[in-house]
Amino acid sequence: MMQGSIIKNTIQLDKEARIKIDELKKEKDHLDERLKTETVKLQKSYDQDNKKILDERKTSYQEEIKARQEKEKNTYDKTLKDIQKQYKENRDSWIKDIYEACIKP
């Protein structure tokens, strides 16, 4: 009778162990699914964050370039006005100086 009880207990323990192993396999499969889902979510979030950072930097660079272009244009306009003013003020004397340098010995 003792052997029957041991065999019965062993069979019961084996059955319980198989049930627990099946439950753990199902839990692992579910965990793998959750990990895949979380990985996709994290990747999307990472991509969105990177896009946001890149867009911000692009905007910042564009603003910086625009400001530098305006500064260079202002410098160009000022220099052009200065040259035109000098030309207007000195034109006659320059023509006279060039004429005298070329004609006179």
Side-chain angles (χ1 to χ4, degrees), residues 3 6 18 30 41 47 55 65 68-69 74 79-82 103-105:
Q3 285 180 329
I6 292 174
R18 277 187 271 139
H30 185 67
K41 283 182 185 176
D47 290 346
D55 288 346
I65 288 170
R68 286 169 53 194
Q69 284 175 330
N74 290 339
T79 303
L80 183 61
K81 282 182 183 178
D82 290 345
I103 301 297
K104 290 188 178 179

Side-chain angles (χ1 to χ4, degrees), residues 87-105:
Y87 174 77
K88 197 173 187 180
E89 291 174 355
N90 298 304
R91 179 180 172 263
D92 293 337
S93 68
W94 289 345
I95 290 173
K96 182 181 170 195
D97 291 345
I98 293 170
Y99 176 77
E100 287 179 3
C102 292
I103 301 297
K104 290 188 178 179

Side-chain angles (χ1 to χ4, degrees), residues 11 16 47 50 56 90 99:
I11 291 172
E16 289 173 8
D47 290 346
N50 279 344
E56 287 171 358
N90 298 304
Y99 176 77

Side-chain angles (χ1 to χ4, degrees), residues 38-65:
E38 288 299 317
T39 301
V40 169
K41 283 182 185 176
L42 286 172
Q43 186 65 44
K44 284 181 182 177
S45 174
Y46 177 76
D47 290 346
Q48 287 172 346
D49 289 346
N50 279 344
K51 186 179 181 324
K52 183 179 176 186
I53 290 169
L54 289 173
D55 288 346
E56 287 171 358
R57 286 190 182 162
K58 181 180 176 183
T59 300
S60 172
Y61 290 148
Q62 286 174 334
E63 289 171 0
E64 180 184 337
I65 288 170

